[in-house]
Amino acid sequence: MNKIYHAVYETMADWETGHATAHIRNGQFHREPGRYELITVGLTTDPITTMGGLRVTPDISIDSIKDAAMLILPGAALWDEGDELAPFARKAHELLKAGVPVAAICGATAGLAREGVFDTRDHTSAALPYLQMQQGYGGTERYVEALAVTDGNLITSTPTAPVDFAREIFAKLDLYTPEVLDAWYRLFAQNDTSAFEALMAPSSP
């Protein structure tokens, strides 16, 4: 299976990647069920506590990442409290240079901004002034006012748009057919119950 690495660290904002992880793991409606394996990765393999109080034990440490199909970086208070999570930003930059997709939401975008990832790529975040506060950020001209932005292998999102963030991730992974992806988004982002019909169609005889 292709390995999708999901970073986990102290103060992680649980809700920001919940839609993405739940539906990557749930193979229903996938274009190729069983294609992806979701692996949690920490700075070490010591347990961490999320912002919501969940205790999570990483599957591997950051030094053990290999053969990645994507790296997902959730927000966390730690992104704004120092450089403890800088190894994840450096790893993201390394993976992008190698052609591996990276998806970052909320505070994780600040880490990528400090790493210089945004200087040559379209991106979004909580707000442009938030990124302009980050030392090393030179991407003002590439900032896009949008809920989620994909530029090549880089996906970024505002902290208030976890569904849009998930949609961009699914599209990059080619997880669903375009019709199913559209229905999924209409259901979870717009509460369009008519989308159930399109979602159920792939499993119909």
Side-chain angles (χ1 to χ4, degrees), residues 181-198:
L181 181 60
D182 175 70
W184 182 92
Y185 183 77
R186 286 190 288 114
L187 179 62
F188 286 95
Q190 302 166 356
N191 196 32
D192 180 356
T193 56
S194 70
F196 272 118
E197 181 178 350

